[in-house]
Amino acid sequence: MRQVLGIFALAIFFAGCGWFQPVEVTEIVGFNNLRLTSGTLQGSLQLRVYNPNPYSLHAISSEVDVFVDEELFGHCTLAEPVRIPSDASADVILDIVSEDKVLGSLLKSGLKSLLGGASIVKASGTVTGKQWWIRSEIPVEYTDTLKLR
């Protein structure tokens, strides 16, 4: 019981001192290995994540939704656990599976890009991180423009 109280006191102390700083998604690197299977698109989404903390974190799971021009495109899960070093960036790869019937909205976004416009891509959700025995939910809120090259 004494150990639990000590750990709790340390957690409150570190939280009050700003010991944990939020991890940031700094960019959507891109989509990889997209393929059409049974009416849905599957592939991976690569994010660059920055950890400003003085200790490394381990991303162990995720629940992230991807929107293209405000329409739900699909859901992402962490492809494999990733170690994010202290005060550094790391690439996190999420497996993505699209919603059924998104091809029409994707064609519309592609046509918009071909005509010189850009589609807005938004990732929203959480990644579960772990350091020592403490788990924390890291919010993912990122918006970027997607242009065809």
Side-chain angles (χ1 to χ4, degrees), residues 27-32 44-48 90-94:
E27 97 180 90
I28 296 176
V29 177
F31 293 94
N32 300 313
S44 61
L45 172 64
Q46 185 175 352
L47 304 175
R48 183 142 308 128
D91 287 348
V92 175
I93 297 176
L94 303 174

Side-chain angles (χ1 to χ4, degrees), residues 10-132:
L10 278 174
I12 290 175
F13 172 75
F14 286 131
C17 293
W19 190 60
F20 178 79
Q21 297 177 29
V23 175
E24 305 169 29
V25 175
T26 56
E27 97 180 90
I28 296 176
V29 177
F31 293 94
N32 300 313
N33 304 322
L34 289 178
R35 61 196 173 281
L36 183 61
T37 308
S38 303
T40 63
L41 282 173
Q42 297 178 359
S44 61
L45 172 64
Q46 185 175 352
L47 304 175
R48 183 142 308 128
V49 178
Y50 174 68
N51 176 15
N53 296 295
Y55 50 85
S56 64
L57 291 172
H58 298 273
I60 56 174
S61 66
S62 70
E63 301 246 349
V64 177
D65 292 331
V66 176
F67 299 85
V68 176
D69 290 334
E70 301 297 324
E71 291 187 42
L72 181 63
F73 173 78
H75 306 283
C76 296
T77 55
L78 193 62
E80 60 185 35
V82 176
R83 181 180 171 275
I84 307 169
S86 63
D87 195 27
S89 293
D91 287 348
V92 175
I93 297 176
L94 303 174
D95 289 332
I96 185 166
V97 176
S98 73
E99 290 286 300
D100 291 335
K101 315 285 190 277
V102 297
L103 292 180
S105 62
L106 279 180
L107 288 173
K108 183 172 72 175
S109 296
L111 183 59
K112 181 178 170 183
S113 295
L114 287 174
L115 295 174
S119 295
I120 304 296
V121 177
K122 178 181 175 186
S124 178
T126 59
V127 173
T128 302
K130 181 178 171 184
Q131 178 57 23
W132 303 299

